[in-house]
Amino acid sequence: LFSWWFFMLIIMSVYTANLTAFMTLSNLGVQIDDVQNLLGQTRYEWGVIGNRNPETLLLTNKNKVYSQIAQKGVALESLEEALERLRNGSFVFIDEGPILRHHLKDDCDMFPIGNEFQSFEYSFGLPKGSPYKNLVDKYLLQYREKGVIDYLWSKWSAQKASCDQKVGNDVVLDMKMLSGAFYILGAGVCL
């Protein structure tokens, strides 16, 4: 009888530990995985820097949800202000992916979330009628066709971060997590 009670104590302990770990880990993650999730929550403020490409893309997007995000967000004056608000917590900064990755690569307390919601190409601007236009076009096209631009982009935009961390709530309590409890239960039944 004593061995049966001891066995039940072990089963309850394993089950309780798995359940506690599952509930704790599922609440640690950020609940935002898309920029559109910002409108339906109150935990985070968000913002974009005014008069820059991300704000323009949000305001002029055909999907009205994006313009609401830009209108209801905090108007930021500079990148420094945005990064400071991020460091203070409970803030989501919407900006260009390469800029975010560059500024957040060494800061383990901040991280990009979700996927890019709008992509665009960078370009060079020259004055109208510039004598350098054909020369710049020729070399940029050559570099693009030879893969030099893609190589440089991947080299400089995908710099290795000093801290790799996975943030999210992708923990699922399934049979694999509880398999140890079932093995012990089977062994107890056999005894």
Side-chain angles (χ1 to χ4, degrees):
L1 186 63
F2 175 73
S3 63
W4 183 251
W5 282 106
F6 183 71
F7 167 72
M8 289 308 294
L9 181 67
I10 297 287
I11 290 295
M12 293 301 287
S13 298
V14 169
Y15 175 76
T16 305
N18 277 330
L19 185 62
T20 303
F22 170 73
M23 301 207 45
T24 303
L25 288 176
S26 65
N27 289 331
L28 285 178
V30 176
Q31 303 299 322
I32 297 172
D33 57 1
D34 186 60
V35 72
Q36 294 181 4
N37 295 137
L38 292 171
L39 289 176
Q41 58 82 40
T42 57
R43 182 175 176 187
Y44 299 99
E45 285 186 300
W46 67 88
V48 293
I49 300 173
N51 301 318
R52 288 189 48 209
N53 197 30
E55 181 189 45
T56 304
L57 287 173
L58 287 171
L59 288 172
T60 60
N61 196 298
K62 291 179 184 177
N63 187 343
K64 296 300 177 196
V65 172
Y66 290 116
S67 60
Q68 287 179 350
I69 290 169
Q71 292 166 356
K72 293 182 179 181
V74 176
L76 301 168
E77 297 294 322
S78 67
L79 183 60
E80 292 76 22
E81 178 188 0
L83 294 174
E84 185 61 33
R85 289 195 71 156
L86 275 174
R87 285 184 188 94
N88 291 338
S90 297
F91 189 77
V92 176
F93 173 46
I94 303 170
D95 204 29
E96 300 172 26
I99 291 173
L100 286 174
R101 283 188 295 275
H102 175 73
H103 286 283
L104 303 181
K105 70 178 167 47
D106 293 326
D107 198 331
C108 297
D109 294 330
M110 299 185 295
F111 47 88
I113 57 172
N115 297 320
E116 291 183 1
F117 60 93
Q118 179 95 31
S119 61
F120 54 89
E121 296 283 333
Y122 285 102
S123 61
F124 292 96
L126 296 172
K128 197 171 192 174
S130 172
Y132 302 111
K133 181 192 178 305
N134 291 335
L135 184 65
V136 169
D137 286 348
K138 175 184 169 187
Y139 282 104
L140 282 178
L141 184 60
Q142 281 180 359
Y143 291 148
R144 181 101 171 160
E145 288 174 349
K146 291 179 181 177
V148 174
I149 292 177
D150 292 333
Y151 167 75
L152 291 173
W153 182 260
S154 64
K155 178 182 175 184
W156 293 105
S157 68
Q159 296 171 350
K160 182 72 175 151
S162 62
C163 54
D164 278 338
Q165 60 186 16
K166 181 162 176 46
V167 176
N169 56 352
D170 57 357
V171 178
V172 177
L173 188 62
D174 58 2
M175 294 305 286
K176 286 183 180 179
M177 290 181 72
L178 295 174
S179 64
F182 286 113
Y183 288 138
I184 294 171
L185 179 64
V189 169
C190 291
L191 292 175

